[in-house]
Structure formats: structure tokens, C-alpha cells
Amino acid sequence: MKHVKKMSLRARVLTGAVAAAALSAGTFGALSANAAQPAAAPQKPAATADVSGRDVHRTSHLTAAAATRAAQAVLKAAAEDNQRVTVAVVDRNGNTITVVRGDGAGPQSYESAERKAFTAVSWNAPTSELVERLENAPNLKDIPGTLFLGGGVPVAVDGAPVAGIGVAGAPSGALDEKYAQAGVAALAR
């Protein structure tokens, strides 16, 4: 049998303290790591339903690339007449896809262009035609976000509106609408 040397009291206390410190550090580290990660909620199975086609409505939307192409065509047409305008293109839901304020266009033209585009897509009609409807229904102009001035035209696919183009800043609504039509024409190419 081997002879085992007895540890001094001081060595035993130091060894015990080191072991306790290591154990505490490991436990604290594990608790800290777990505390940093919130407990995962129990996963519920995803609810799915096979909905028939009659209960689903699908819409088409203009792409950002197409909206940009239309806006550039508007600015080019206005520049050919030496006019400074802002053009806005909105999607079927009236959400802005793009707005480009041409060099030198007035500050009011930004909001006006957006509102004309929104109005045109909302009624699927040029805003110049809608101005005439105000005679029979003057409270139409009270609908939030609309602007019944010439310069807004809808973009339609198979008769259904997918976007609206609004132009503001030229000296007349007729010119604004002419430029907006140039944007529509660019989409047809």
C-alpha cells in the first residue's frame, strides 16, 4: 500500500474554494446563457385552409420598374415642352410606387401629383372627366386624398385599374394630363 500524504488545512481550504468557484462559474454561465435566450413558446400547428377560388380575389399590380419607366416618360414629354412637373405613380390600392419631382417643379406639385394619381386609380377614370362629375355630386371633392383637377390617368389591364399616374406643375390640367398619358403610352410599349 502506498503512503498518501495528508494535505494541510490550508491546502484543503484552497482546493475547496477553487472547486466551489469553478462550480459556481459554470452554474452562473449556464443560467446566464439560458436567460439570454427566451424560452421558446410551444409551437402550434399552422392553421391552413383550402379556400375555394370563389372566396379569393386576386389583383394585378404595376412593378416598380414599370412605374419608373412611366415616370421617366412623363418627365421626358414635359421637358420637350419646357415644362417642370412632378409625376407620381400609385398602385391599385393607392399606395405610392414612385414620385419624381422634376428639376424646377414647384413644391406643391409633389402632393398634387400623388393625389391626382390616387383619384384616377380610385375611379378608374382620368381626373379631367371626374371634374365634370363634381357638378352632379359636389361632395366627391371631400373624399380624403383626392384631387379633382386634370392631370391624373388610370393604368388598366383588361379594363381593371392596376395603377394611377398623376402629374402636376404644368400651367394647366390639360397639359398635366397630356404628360400622364405619355407615361401610360410608355407602359404599352
Side-chain angles (χ1 to χ4, degrees), residues 10-184:
R10 180 176 179 191
R12 284 185 289 182
V13 169
L14 273 173
T15 303
V18 168
L23 183 62
S24 295
T27 302
F28 179 77
L31 290 175
S32 295
N34 287 337
Q37 302 264 339
Q43 295 292 323
K44 294 181 183 178
T48 60
D50 189 10
V51 179
S52 69
R54 65 183 165 83
D55 293 328
V56 176
H57 179 75
R58 293 190 172 113
T59 60
S60 297
H61 294 270
L62 201 61
T63 65
T68 301
R69 191 170 66 246
Q72 291 301 321
V74 166
L75 292 177
K76 181 179 178 192
E80 288 171 359
D81 289 345
N82 200 29
Q83 296 298 317
R84 297 176 211 130
V85 300
T86 297
V87 57
V89 182
V90 301
D91 69 11
R92 171 62 188 109
N93 300 320
N95 298 310
T96 302
I97 301 172
T98 188
V99 178
V100 182
R101 184 176 168 268
D103 295 335
Q108 78 290 352
S109 64
Y110 191 97
E111 183 179 349
S112 297
E114 281 186 312
R115 290 176 59 193
K116 288 178 183 184
F118 175 80
T119 305
V121 76
S122 296
W123 275 276
N124 194 25
T127 53
S128 60
E129 289 179 19
L130 297 172
V131 169
E132 296 170 13
R133 292 186 195 176
L134 286 177
E135 293 173 16
N136 296 328
N139 57 344
L140 281 179
K141 70 181 180 318
D142 297 332
I143 297 172
T146 59
L147 185 59
F148 293 89
L149 296 174
V153 295
V155 177
V157 173
D158 297 328
V162 296
I165 299 175
V167 178
S172 72
L175 279 175
D176 286 338
E177 191 165 313
K178 171 187 168 186
Y179 307 138
Q181 289 291 357
V184 173

Side-chain angles (χ1 to χ4, degrees), residues 4-17:
V4 178
K5 189 174 178 185
K6 202 173 185 182
M7 289 184 8
S8 70
L9 178 62
R10 180 176 179 191
R12 284 185 289 182
V13 169
L14 273 173
T15 303

